[in-house]
Amino acid sequence: MDPRISVIQGDITRQTCDAIVNAANTSLLGGGGVDGAIHRAAGPDLLAECRTLHGCDTGKAKITGGYRLPASYVIHTPGPIWRGGENGEPDLLASCYRSCLALAAEKGCKTVCFPSISTGVYHFPLAQAAAIAIREIRAFLAEHPLPEQVTMVCFDAKTKAAYDKALAER
């Protein structure tokens, strides 16, 4: 097991941590799923700040304040839309995790919470997404002192089971 990585089932908007990651769309102006939930919980100031960022490319990340969330920051990353896996989707998803972790470390974040990026309306296969996420988080943590703790916050039991399985594998 990795003491710096944990997997829980819950609501990411209720996690007390330094940064939560938003599985955003490229506009950064809110959407459905976790993106909409984060924008609703953070309040209108989040959208106002996101407007100043002028979007974000898939696989990259941008950071804002957390506003009404119990997190200091929101790190927004647009994940790839699954189009069969032959269009760079695995590499783009891996880049999402690396970009978010690098921004978190740069801002001095000790605790970061991630949702399952791209596995909702973007239809990335869950087991493959979980394996990529855990691999990238492990690799980053092996090379960096921050963040000290990364938590995968899974919306439902099926998602949590996939991340638990990926975490148990070497």
Side-chain angles (χ1 to χ4, degrees):
M1 292 307 272
D2 295 282
R4 292 172 65 192
I5 306 171
S6 58
V7 178
I8 64 169
Q9 183 177 336
D11 179 348
I12 199 165
T13 68
R14 297 176 186 262
Q15 302 307 309
T16 301
C17 56
D18 293 325
I20 64 168
V21 173
N22 180 15
N25 58 49
T26 56
S27 78
L28 302 184
L29 301 180
V34 70
D35 191 12
I38 288 170
H39 273 268
R40 284 189 298 278
D45 292 334
L46 178 61
L47 178 59
E49 185 176 356
C50 283
R51 283 195 174 107
T52 70
L53 299 178
H54 308 292
C56 185
D57 292 335
T58 300
K60 305 291 186 202
K62 292 191 177 179
I63 193 164
T64 63
Y67 300 99
R68 295 193 311 217
L69 292 162
S72 300
Y73 299 104
V74 178
I75 301 173
H76 308 265
T77 187
I81 298 169
W82 184 257
R83 293 187 171 95
E86 301 299 318
N87 298 289
E89 298 96 333
D91 291 337
L92 286 167
L93 184 61
S95 180
C96 287
Y97 286 92
R98 289 191 303 269
S99 298
C100 290
L101 290 164
L103 258 181
E106 183 182 306
K107 290 290 187 178
C109 296
K110 292 181 179 178
T111 54
V112 178
C113 291
F114 278 93
S116 182
I117 299 168
S118 285
T119 60
V121 297
Y122 286 4
H123 302 292
F124 205 106
L126 179 57
Q128 188 177 350
I132 290 167
I134 297 301
R135 179 192 76 212
E136 293 302 323
I137 293 166
R138 277 184 175 140
F140 190 90
L141 295 181
E143 300 288 325
H144 300 88
L146 290 178
E148 294 173 0
Q149 184 67 41
V150 175
T151 303
M152 293 301 309
V153 182
C154 303
F155 179 72
D156 57 24
K158 176 183 165 191
T159 304
K160 183 181 184 305
Y163 282 87
D164 282 337
K165 182 173 189 254
L167 189 58
E169 293 172 354
R170 271 285 161 194

